[in-house]
Amino acid sequence: MLRVRSPLGPWTVGHTPSPESRPARFVPAQVPGAVQLDWARAEAWPPHWKGDNFKAYAWMEDVYWLYETRLPADPSPPGQSRVLVLVGVDYQFEVRINGQRRMAQEGMFTSVEIDVTHDADASLQILIWPIPKYPQAHRPKAQASRSCKPAVSYGWDWHPRLVPLGIWDDVFVETRPTTHLATAQLRSVLANDLSVAHVWLEATLSNPLPDAQLRLRLLSPSGDVALQRQFALGEAATQHELAAPLLWWPNGQGAPNLYTAEISLLNGAGHVLDERHSRVGFRRVRLVMNEGAWEEPSAFPKSRSHPPITLEINGRRVFAKGTNWVNPDIFPGTITAETYRPLIQMAQQAYFNILRTWGGAIVNKDAFFEQCDEAGLMVWQEFPLACNDYADDPHYLRVLDQESRAIIVRLRQHPSLCLWCGGNELFNVWSGMTDQHKALRLLNRNCFDLDPETPFLPTSPVMGMGHGDYRFRDENGREVYQMFAQANNTAYTEFGCPGPSDADYIASFTPANELFPPRKGTTWEHHHAFEAWSVAPESWLFPSLIEDYFGPCSSLEQMVAWGQLMQSEGYKCLYEEARRQKPFASMALNWCYNEPWPSAANNSLINWPARPKPAFYAVALSCRPVLASARLPQFSWIAEDLFKAELWLLNDSPHAVPAGRMTCCLRMDGHEVPLVTWEFPETAANENLAGPVVRALLPQGQAQTFDLVLRVEDHPDWDSTYTLCFRPGVQRGRVRVGAGNNA
Amino acid sequence: MLRVRSPLGPWTVGHTPSPESRPARFVPAQVPGAVQLDWARAEAWPPHWKGDNFKAYAWMEDVYWLYETRLPADPSPPGQSRVLVLVGVDYQFEVRINGQRRMAQEGMFTSVEIDVTHDADASLQILIWPIPKYPQAHRPKAQASRSCKPAVSYGWDWHPRLVPLGIWDDVFVETRPTTHLATAQLRSVLANDLSVAHVWLEATLSNPLPDAQLRLRLLSPSGDVALQRQFALGEAATQHELAAPLLWWPNGQGAPNLYTAEISLLNGAGHVLDERHSRVGFRRVRLVMNEGAWEEPSAFPKSRSHPPITLEINGRRVFAKGTNWVNPDIFPGTITAETYRPLIQMAQQAYFNILRTWGGAIVNKDAFFEQCDEAGLMVWQEFPLACNDYADDPHYLRVLDQESRAIIVRLRQHPSLCLWCGGNELFNVWSGMTDQHKALRLLNRNCFDLDPETPFLPTSPVMGMGHGDYRFRDENGREVYQMFAQANNTAYTEFGCPGPSDADYIASFTPANELFPPRKGTTWEHHHAFEAWSVAPESWLFPSLIEDYFGPCSSLEQMVAWGQLMQSEGYKCLYEEARRQKPFASMALNWCYNEPWPSAANNSLINWPARPKPAFYAVALSCRPVLASARLPQFSWIAEDLFKAELWLLNDSPHAVPAGRMTCCLRMDGHEVPLVTWEFPETAANENLAGPVVRALLPQGQAQTFDLVLRVEDHPDWDSTYTLCFRPGVQRGRVRVGAGNNA
C-alpha cells in the first residue's frame, strides 16, 4: 500500500453566533453528514420528513457551526507525508489546526488537501459559516443567486425550505510518499473513424523529482493489458495509440465498456513511489443538428436555424430517453453509493439512457458517476445555477470559476459525462439571464479550456427546446394529449405529469386526522399537494381535476388510484409522442425522476428514497426500444363517441425490426372488441413506422375506464395497453372539457 | 524622440513556383500594397476594375511571391535596439535576413517584430505563400474555410474573384532604447453609476529593468491633465480613479469625448526611457433585452426568450442606425486614412451611429477605428469567418487563436469597439456551423479573457434577428413595404434594396457597345448587374422589375433614374419601418454601405471609392433623429385607388420633441392636394408617435409618379417626401403585382 487512509473521529459539533466565540454545547457529529441532523439527533427530534417538522430547522441557517476532532496521534512515518483531505464541505468554511487558521474556502465542490505531516495529535476544527443569502433577494430562492450553493434547498415546488450545512463528503487523513502524484488523470480522444483512442496523461507531482518516470497501463474490460507505456514525466502529454478500443455505449445501444487505467510514479531507479487507478471509457459525443432543423427558417428576414440538440454517440444518432434527476436526499451528506444504486438500476431497467442532473441540485458524488459509467447512463451535468439571475459580481464569479474548474476536472474522465450545461432555465423571464452574462461566458470558457470535446449548452431550454407543461390538463382545457401533439420542439427536456403517492406512504408522514379529504394548510400542502407551483393552486394533487374525470372520490385510496392512473397515462402519452416526433425531436426527459423527501403528490416517478410509483412502470414500458404505440386524441370518452387512435410502431434501437402483425382491440367491461390488424413492414434501425388510424363507435359500457390493447404477434414484449376515462350513457349535455371531440 | 522610425525601400517583388527557387524577374513593389498591383503596374496592364480585366490576375493566386529590400546600412546607435516591424503581411509568409529564415507566420492580422540590431545593411526578403485553398471546397468561397483569410475576395455577389496577397500594412524599422515598452495599454472600466472611470495599465518591457517605473498621464479632451500617477512596473494593474470622466457617446447621443493616455517608462533615476501615446474613451456598452422580449414565449412547452440585441451605452438605450461596411478596396494594401475619411464622414452625416464590419472582410487598419472613435460611430467587429463551415481543425484553430488574440488586443482600447461577433451567418444552412463549433467557443473564450466588458455575439443573425431580403420585390410579389411590415424581428442587421449606379459611372468601366440595353454575359454581369445572387437571376439590376413598374426604358439614363428611385424609396421604407418597430426592434443596418470596386448595380449606398448614390441621401433623411414618416402599404398605385398611409413622428434622439403640427398632402402633376393636419402631442426622448391613417381616393393624373409630402410647422428639417409609382387611367384589368390592394 503506497497510500494509507485513516478515518478521523469521533467528531463533535456545536453552534455559535460568531466565528470567534466557542459553542456553548457540542453534540456528537456524523461525518459526512449535516449539522442539522446531528443537532436533531442530540435533541431526539422526530424525523424532519414528517408533517411540518422541517420548520424547526429554520434557525440553523443563520448561525456558525464548529466541528471538532483530533488528527492522528502517531507521528508520520519517516519519508512519508500526511495529508488531510476534505472532499466536500458545505458551504463556506475555515480549517483550524491547534487553533490556527490553515485555510478558508467558499464552495462545497472544490476538495481541499492540507499537509498535516507535522501536526500529529493536533486539534482539528472546521468552522462553517451561515448559509449564503443575497440580501437583495426578491424571493427565497434568489438568496442563492450570488453563490454556488444549490438553490433547491431554499425551497422549491417539491422541496421544503431546509438548507443543509456541514461536512457533506469524505474527510480523512492519508499517509503518502512525500513525493507522490498530486494529480494524475488519463485523457483521451477518439480518432475520427473511431478506430484508435489517442490517450495521454495529465499529471503533477507533490515535489520536484529528477528522473521521474510515469507508467501507464490500460486494462481492457476483460482485464487484459491493452496498453503499457513508460516515459519521463515531461512526456506525459505525448499521445499513445490504443488500437481498436472497445467503445462505451449508452444503455440500449451496446455495452458500456470500461477500461482500467493504472498510472504509476517511478523514480529513476524504477521504484514505484505512487499509483492511481481509475475506470475510463472511450466514446465520442457530439451535439448534431436535428434532422429538418437546417430547413428552417425559410422566409426573409431570415433568423438562425435551431441549435443542435441531437446526441451523436460514436457516430450514431441516439434518441435521448431519460429523466431529470434531483437530489436523492435533502441532506447530501447522507448520500452514499447505496443511495444511488437502486435509483440508477431502475433508470437502467426503464430503458433510460440519459439523466439530466439540473442546476438547482448538487453535483453528485463520485459513486453516482461510477454507477452511470457502468449502467450506460449518459449524464447531462449542469453547474449550480437555477432559476435565478446570477449577476456579474466579481466575488461570485471568482467562486464560480473555482467551483466549475474543480467540477470539470473531477468529472471529465467519466464516459457517462456527455453534456455540460450552464444551468436551469436561465434564459427565461423568471431567471432574467442572457447569453451576455459573465457567469455563462466563464463556464463556456472553462469547459472549453478543460474539456473541449464535450458539448456545452448555456442553459436548458435554448432555442427550439421546450420545458413544460407540468400538468395533465392546463387552465385552457388542453390535456397532455393535445398539448404535445401540437408542440414542435427539437427536444422535450422537462415535461411533467403529477400523481399522488400511495396512500400508505402518505400516511407514514401525515397525521391520521389530516389524511382525507386532502386539504390546503395541512401536511398535504407542506408535502406539495397544494399551492406548490404558483401557476396552479391545486398543484400537485389536482383533486378537482381527478374528480372532474372520475366523479367524487369517497376514499384516499380511490383518489390515489385515479390520480396515479392519470399520471401513468399522461406520461405514456408524453414519452411516446416525443418519440413519434423523432427525428425532428431528439430528447424526452420527464420532470422529475426521484425526490429528496416524501411528497404527497409530485411529478416524480419514484418516491423518496427509492420507491417507484405506478407511473415509473408505465414510463418504462413507453421507453422499451421497440413497442406498439397509439397516438390518442384525448383522455375522456363517452359511449357512442367516434373513437380514434393512430397506430405506430416505435423503434429507437440500433436494429431493424422485421415485418409483423399488430392487432388492436378495445377492452370494455372485460370484453375485447377487435378493431384492426396492421401488417407492418420491416422498419430500419432507429426509425418509427406510422400505421393506420383506428376508428370505431364506442359501445355502451358500465366501467369508468376502458382499455385500448395493442398486441404484436410473436412479440408480447412489444404489446401496449392504454387505459382511458369512460362515461357510460349518452349524457351529451354534460360539460366535458377536452372530451367528445368527434370532428 | 525616444523612438525613431525609418522607412524601408525601395522594394522589389517577383514570383516563383516554389519557395526555394529565386524569381526570374523582379519588378518595383509598392509597400504597403499588393503583389497583383505591382505586377500589373510593371506590365502596364489596364485597370483591374474595368470590364473583365480582373480575370487576368487568376494565376497570381497559386505562385510564391518574394519581396526584397535592404535593412538600413548604418549600424544601430549604441544602447539602442533596432526592430523590424511588420504591421500586416497577407497571408502566409516567411521573413529572411541575409538569406536566413528569421520567422514564419500564417495570418495577416498578427503584427510581427524582429530584432535587427545586429543586421545593418542586411538583405531582407519576405516570401509570400500562395493563397490558402481548402482542397475539399465545394464552392469557391469555401476555399477560405480553413484559414483566417477574408472570404470575400474568393468571390461574392458584389466582389469579383480577386484574392490579394502581399505586404498590406506598414513595414518599418524602429530604433528604440534597448529597454523599452514592448506593450503598453490603458485599460478601464466605468463604475456602475458612471461617476468614476477605474483605469489601469497592461505593460511589459523588452528587457527586465530593476526599479522600473511607469508614469500614466491622462489628458482630458480639452488638453488638461486629468490624472497623473507614477508607480512601479509591478503595480501596473493597480486601479486608479478618474472622477467624473467625460463620457464617449455615439453620434447623435452626445460628444464622442476622447482623452489622451501618455504612458512613460522611467528608470530608477527618473529618466524617461520610452513613451507611448494613445487616444482613449470611457463608455459602458451592454447588450440588454429588447423591450417585450421577456414576455415571449408564453405557451408550454416553453423555449427561451430572444437574446438581447439592444445596445445600451452609458446606461441609455440607443437605437442602432447604421450600415454594413465592406472593404473599401479589393486591395487592402492600398487603403490609407484618406480612403476611410470620406466614407466615415458620410456615415456620420447620415446620422448613422453604428458600422457592422462583417466577417467576410478584413479587420480594418488603425486609422479606421481612430476615425470611428472621433465620429462617434460604434463598430460591430466580426472575426474573419463568413458563410462557411470553419471546422474543428487543429491547425485552423491555432491560427484563429493567434489572429483573434491579436485583433482583440489591438482594438479593445477603442471606445468605438462596441460589439465582438464571431462572423457572418454562421448558423444558417449555407454555412452549417453551430454553437458547438470550437472556432466560436474559442472566440467567445478569447473575447471573455481579453475584453470581458464588451458584448459578444457568436454570429449574426442569432435568434430573433433577421437578415434579408435584398430585393425591392421578391418572387412572391411581396415588396419591401409588405415584407417588413409583417416582419417581427428584434434587429434588422442586414437588409438590402438594390439600385444601379449612375450612367456616367457605369460608362467609366463598361465598353460603349455594351452599355445599353444591359445584357447578361457582358461587363454588366461581371460588375454584378446579373446573376450576382443565386436566388435571383436579375440581381442586382432587376431591369424587368423596373420596367414592370415604369414601362419599357428607352435609355440607360431612364433605367438608372427609375432604378435609383426604387432603391431610394425602398431603403426609406426599410429604415423607417425598423424605427417604427422600436422598441421591440433595436437595430436597422442595411446591406451594404460601400463597395470595393465599381459595381453596375448593387445594394450599396456609395459607389467605389466614395461616390454616394441617390439612395445615400434618401437614407440619411430617414435616419434623421426626428422626422415625419409615413408607413405605406405598397409602391404602385392607380388613379381611383383608395390611397392609405399611416402618419408617424419618429424620434430616436435623447430629447423630447414638443407638440406640433404635421400636414400631409399629395402632389400630383405639380399640384398639391392637402389631406390631413395632425396636431401631434409632445413625445418623450427616444419615443415614436403613431398618428392618423390618411385615406383618400387618388385623382386622375398624367405623371408616372406622385409624391406624398409631410411637413412639420416650424420644422422644415423634419419634413419628408415619398415618391410612389403611379399609373394614370383606370386600367383595372391590367396585371399589377403588389398594387391596387384596396382591402
Side-chain angles (χ1 to χ4, degrees), chain B residues 429-461:
Chain B
V429 61
W430 50 89
S431 297
M433 293 181 75
T434 79
D435 314 68
Q436 299 303 325
H437 268 64
K438 286 184 183 168
L440 298 174
R441 297 187 64 193
L442 180 154
L443 292 172
N444 188 2
R445 190 263 315 262
N446 287 356
C447 288
F448 182 71
D449 281 346
L450 298 170
D451 191 23
E453 303 300 330
T454 303
F456 175 84
L457 283 183
T459 189
S460 179

Side-chain angles (χ1 to χ4, degrees), chain A residues 287 289 294-295 297 299-308 397 419 426-449 451-459 461-471 478 483-484 487 489 492 494 533 535, chain B residues 287 289 294-297 299-308 397 419 426-445 447-449 451-459 461-471 478 483-484 487 489 492 494 533 535:
Chain A
L287 275 185
M289 287 293 279
W294 278 131
E295 278 75 71
F300 289 110
K302 215 176 270 259
S303 191
R304 65 164 296 182
S305 297
H306 287 328
L397 294 171
L419 181 57
L426 302 175
F427 292 164
N428 291 90
V429 63
W430 50 90
S431 297
M433 294 182 75
T434 79
D435 314 68
Q436 300 303 325
H437 268 63
K438 286 183 181 168
L440 298 175
R441 297 187 65 193
L442 180 153
L443 291 173
N444 183 29
R445 189 263 316 264
N446 288 355
C447 287
F448 183 71
D449 282 347
D451 191 24
E453 304 301 330
T454 303
F456 175 85
L457 284 182
T459 189
V462 294
M463 183 184 176
M465 299 165 62
H467 277 201
D469 205 327
Y470 304 89
R471 291 169 291 181
R478 289 199 313 164
M483 227 184 280
F484 279 74
N489 292 88
Y492 299 95
E494 279 194 15
W533 188 34
V535 169
Chain B
L287 275 185
M289 287 293 279
W294 277 131
E295 278 76 71
E296 298 284 333
F300 289 108
K302 215 174 268 254
S303 191
R304 66 165 292 181
S305 297
H306 287 328
L397 293 172
L419 181 59
L426 302 175
F427 292 162
N428 291 92
V429 61
W430 50 89
S431 297
M433 293 181 75
T434 79
D435 314 68
Q436 299 303 325
H437 268 64
K438 286 184 183 168
L440 298 174
R441 297 187 64 193
L442 180 154
L443 292 172
N444 188 2
R445 190 263 315 262
C447 288
F448 182 71
D449 281 346
D451 191 23
E453 303 300 330
T454 303
F456 175 84
L457 283 183
T459 189
V462 293
M463 183 184 177
M465 299 166 62
H467 277 202
D469 203 332
Y470 305 89
R471 293 167 291 182
R478 288 199 313 164
M483 225 183 284
F484 280 75
N489 293 88
Y492 300 96
E494 279 194 17
W533 187 36
V535 170

Side-chain angles (χ1 to χ4, degrees), chain B residues 349-518:
Chain B
Q349 287 155 10
Y351 308 99
F352 288 166
N353 56 26
I354 191 167
L355 302 176
R356 172 175 176 242
T357 76
W358 73 305
I362 59 163
V363 179
N364 279 290
K365 296 178 174 177
D366 288 342
F368 174 84
F369 296 93
E370 289 160 5
Q371 292 178 30
C372 287
D373 287 346
E374 290 163 9
L377 288 166
M378 297 184 282
V379 178
W380 162 335
Q381 181 62 54
E382 301 195 354
F383 293 94
L385 297 84
C387 295
N388 277 323
D389 183 355
Y390 295 83
D392 293 352
D393 170 77
H395 172 80
Y396 167 65
L397 293 172
R398 275 195 299 276
V399 177
L400 180 66
D401 189 44
Q402 162 206 297
E403 292 284 271
S404 61
R405 288 176 183 275
I407 291 165
I408 298 163
V409 170
R410 174 167 71 94
L411 303 185
R412 64 183 175 184
Q413 68 178 349
H414 289 282
S416 56
L417 198 300
C418 284
L419 181 59
W420 294 110
C421 178
N424 183 63
E425 295 172 4
L426 302 175
F427 292 162
N428 291 92
V429 61
W430 50 89
S431 297
M433 293 181 75
T434 79
D435 314 68
Q436 299 303 325
H437 268 64
K438 286 184 183 168
L440 298 174
R441 297 187 64 193
L442 180 154
L443 292 172
N444 188 2
R445 190 263 315 262
N446 287 356
C447 288
F448 182 71
D449 281 346
L450 298 170
D451 191 23
E453 303 300 330
T454 303
F456 175 84
L457 283 183
T459 189
S460 179
V462 293
M463 183 184 177
M465 299 166 62
H467 277 202
D469 203 332
Y470 305 89
R471 293 167 291 182
F472 188 89
R473 199 171 83 190
D474 72 12
E475 70 276 22
N476 301 314
R478 288 199 313 164
E479 295 169 333
V480 292
Y481 298 89
Q482 298 101 46
M483 225 183 284
F484 280 75
Q486 290 160 14
N488 184 35
N489 293 88
T490 51
Y492 300 96
T493 49
E494 279 194 17
F495 52 75
C497 198
S501 304
D502 288 341
D504 66 319
Y505 184 79
I506 295 169
S508 71
F509 57 82
T510 306
N513 64 340
E514 293 184 354
L515 264 179
F516 194 78

Side-chain angles (χ1 to χ4, degrees), chain A residues 356-375:
Chain A
R356 172 174 177 243
T357 73
W358 75 305
I362 59 163
V363 180
N364 280 288
K365 296 178 176 179
D366 288 342
F368 174 84
F369 296 93
E370 289 160 6
Q371 293 178 30
C372 287
D373 287 347
E374 289 164 9

